[in-house]
Amino acid sequence: MKLLILTAVKEFDKDIIQILKKADVKTFTFKEMKGFKDLSEESIESNWFATEMNINESILFYAFVKKENVDSVFGLINNFNEKQKTSSHIHLAVLNIEKHN
């Protein structure tokens, strides 16, 4: 059993749901939240919002999945991210679960 953790901007929520369905992940949890990025080290010219603090509407998904499904999710996420024309991507982490019931 593995724990998948996915984060992205809120606009990708329907895309993530479709990706999880395609990867045969039938049960998951999600929560809307605020994402934060400190842009204080970027130059004003490269900072679109011209501020040091950037807060976004974000989403967090997590799911307990069989290890056989992990590679499928990673492949679908990588394909999605490669097609993005924006700097936003879906971020995915996998954690091992030692025990569960």
Side-chain angles (χ1 to χ4, degrees):
M1 185 68 67
K2 303 286 185 176
L3 173 62
L4 297 182
I5 301 172
L6 299 98
T7 62
V9 293
K10 171 75 173 91
E11 289 78 13
F12 293 162
D13 61 350
K14 290 179 178 63
D15 299 301
I16 293 171
I17 290 169
Q18 290 303 313
I19 287 168
L20 293 173
K21 284 182 180 181
K22 284 181 188 175
D24 202 29
V25 176
K26 297 181 190 295
T27 305
F28 54 86
T29 302
F30 68 93
K31 178 167 180 51
E32 294 180 13
M33 59 187 189
K34 301 281 186 193
F36 171 80
K37 184 174 184 179
D38 181 0
L39 300 172
S40 61
E41 294 184 13
E42 286 189 29
S43 68
I44 282 292
E45 294 82 28
S46 66
N47 182 350
W48 175 263
F49 297 102
T51 181
E52 292 182 359
M53 306 296 181
N54 186 12
I55 297 175
N56 301 340
E57 295 296 321
S58 299
I59 194 148
L60 168 73
F61 282 79
Y62 62 92
F64 294 97
V65 301
K66 296 175 185 174
K67 63 182 177 180
E68 306 86 64
N69 297 68
V70 171
D71 288 338
S72 178
V73 176
F74 263 99
L76 292 165
I77 295 290
N78 285 337
N79 288 341
F80 178 86
N81 286 340
E82 287 174 0
K83 294 176 185 172
Q84 291 309 304
K85 294 182 176 151
T86 66
S87 61
S88 288
H89 290 100
I90 298 171
H91 304 279
L92 172 62
V94 177
L95 302 171
N96 288 323
I97 303 298
E98 292 182 26
K99 290 184 180 182
H100 65 86
N101 66 22

